[in-house]
Amino acid sequence: MLGVRQDPTPDHRAASELYLTQPLLIGRATLGGRWWGRISLNAEGATLADGELTPGAWGEGWYDRRHPHTVVHELMLGGSTGGRCGRARCEAAVFLGKGFVPFGSDDPMGRWLTAYPVNHHLAQILERALGGVALRAGPLLAEAAVFNGDEPERPAQWPKLSRFADSWSARLTATPLAGVELAASYAEVASPEARSGVGPDQRKWHAGLRVVRAAGATELSGLAEWARTDEVGGFFRFESLLVEGSVATGRHRISVRAERTDRPEEERSESFRALRPHLDNSLVGVTRWSLWTVQYRLALPLGGVTVEPLAELTLGSARETAGGLFSVEGAYGRTTVSRLAIGTRIAWRLRGDHRMGRYAGAPEHAH
């Protein structure tokens, strides 16, 4: 449960709203140690039908509200086999279903801050029908997949299977030390904004560093990433730099994020929505969002249930980066923005590290 106050919104005023946000049911299972299945069901289509106030949020026709994700967030099947390659452990895996493409960083829903980063659609490719392979040799993991380029337009929509394999991605991850990952990704995505396939294609790059370490009773985690998306052969370019970290000791956790991300601006049909379908393939401007977020949460274990009261503050600003018709001050009344969120996270029997988009092997914990 989350209460949010954001100032301003595209209505040139502050707004306060209460949500049941990120309602997820996650299931994982293994069969014989080599085959596995995982499912993530998401009820945001019902609880966030009008989206969630989030500064700079965009994607799937929404602006300044985080869009609800599809009911079937993930539905993946896979299998793997392993052995030794000299002194190194080797593994090969295949996976097929609906989920996250092997590109970029982890789903923000699995990270600590409630406010989604502006770069969500630059640094992840989600909810596609995909088939892929993964090869692991010692500290190196290579993943590749084909998928449908079109992104969902509404929570109940399934991928357009006639477009399956019109797009592809690859990611290489190195783990030089336990808990330290270096990754680089590339993707070519066909017409993501137009389901019919007539829209402009995207080329996407991503590089990131992820760290999760424990020192006694203290847990440290962090992410640093760069992402870039080019459209129309590079005529439009959107870049992002993001750094976030979290420190937990005992029952207390503090998390922070700094982000600078470019956002495409489309013609609006109303305050928070863009025209869908597009009347043409042109943008009306590009804005750059610079945001800083800090959160405190307190863990209260109650048997198999963990209750975490939290408070989170986002402050930042936006400005135009290129010529166009869009004006930040004209759209919002000013160029600065704030968001205060107070709520409680509740988790029941959530065990293991459920990283959406990581399908290289069987989950360590099944439930």
Side-chain angles (χ1 to χ4, degrees), residues 182-221:
L182 293 164
S185 307
Y186 176 75
E188 294 188 1
V189 187
S191 182
E193 300 291 340
R195 188 169 169 84
S196 62
V198 299
D201 299 340
Q202 292 182 346
R203 292 189 175 184
K204 303 172 76 72
W205 292 260
H206 181 276
L209 167 66
R210 179 180 184 263
V211 179
V212 179
R213 306 281 286 181
T218 301
E219 178 191 278
L220 306 173
S221 60

Side-chain angles (χ1 to χ4, degrees), residues 112-131:
W112 293 110
L113 297 165
T114 69
Y116 263 53
V118 184
N119 77 357
H120 178 36
H121 285 271
L122 303 183
Q124 294 94 38
I125 305 173
L126 66 158
E127 299 177 326
R128 301 315 208 266
L130 63 109

Side-chain angles (χ1 to χ4, degrees), residues 110-359:
R111 285 145 54 181
W112 293 110
L113 297 165
T114 69
Y116 263 53
V118 184
N119 77 357
H120 178 36
H121 285 271
L122 303 183
Q124 294 94 38
I125 305 173
L126 66 158
E127 299 177 326
R128 301 315 208 266
L130 63 109
V133 298
L135 299 173
R136 187 190 304 274
L140 297 179
L141 171 64
E143 305 161 273
V146 294
F147 57 96
N148 62 296
D150 58 296
E151 65 183 18
E153 297 174 329
R154 58 186 183 274
Q157 190 174 64
W158 283 85
K160 192 172 184 179
L161 294 182
S162 63
R163 289 190 53 188
F164 180 72
D166 67 359
S167 304
W168 68 274
S169 73
R171 178 169 58 199
L172 179 64
T173 303
T175 308
L177 298 170
V180 178
E181 292 181 353
L182 293 164
S185 307
Y186 176 75
E188 294 188 1
V189 187
S191 182
E193 300 291 340
R195 188 169 169 84
S196 62
V198 299
D201 299 340
Q202 292 182 346
R203 292 189 175 184
K204 303 172 76 72
W205 292 260
H206 181 276
L209 167 66
R210 179 180 184 263
V211 179
V212 179
R213 306 281 286 181
T218 301
E219 178 191 278
L220 306 173
S221 60
L223 170 69
E225 65 181 352
W226 165 84
R228 191 180 92 189
T229 294
D230 286 356
E231 287 189 0
V232 196
F235 185 82
F236 294 112
R237 174 166 292 175
F238 312 104
E239 290 192 278
S240 174
L241 290 172
L242 180 148
V243 178
E244 67 182 36
S246 183
V247 179
T249 180
R251 295 184 300 158
H252 308 277
R253 180 178 292 274
I254 295 177
S255 305
V256 296
R257 175 193 293 146
E259 176 185 18
R260 189 190 71 186
T261 297
D262 298 335
R263 183 179 85 169
E265 301 293 344
E266 302 167 344
E267 186 177 354
R268 311 291 175 89
S269 58
E270 52 187 272
S271 297
F272 295 94
R273 300 301 302 269
L275 289 172
R276 282 293 189 277
H278 288 299
L279 298 179
D280 53 45
N281 293 322
S282 64
L283 301 177
V284 296
V286 178
T287 54
R288 176 164 295 162
W289 293 75
S290 300
L291 300 174
W292 297 263
T293 301
V294 60
Q295 181 202 89
Y296 168 76
R297 67 170 68 191
L298 175 67
L300 302 173
L302 301 173
V305 178
T306 300
V307 178
E308 294 179 310
L310 64 89
E312 182 176 290
L313 177 65
T314 298
L315 299 173
S317 62
R319 64 179 179 86
E320 303 88 6
T321 65
L325 301 176
F326 188 84
S327 163
V328 172
E329 193 161 355
Y332 299 95
R334 65 174 192 264
T335 60
T336 58
V337 64
S338 66
R339 175 185 186 264
L340 176 64
I342 297 176
T344 301
R345 178 181 182 267
I346 301 174
W348 177 65
R349 297 183 64 187
L350 184 61
R351 303 191 302 270
D353 191 8
H354 188 91
R355 300 180 63 188
M356 298 181 189
R358 301 286 174 163
Y359 308 126

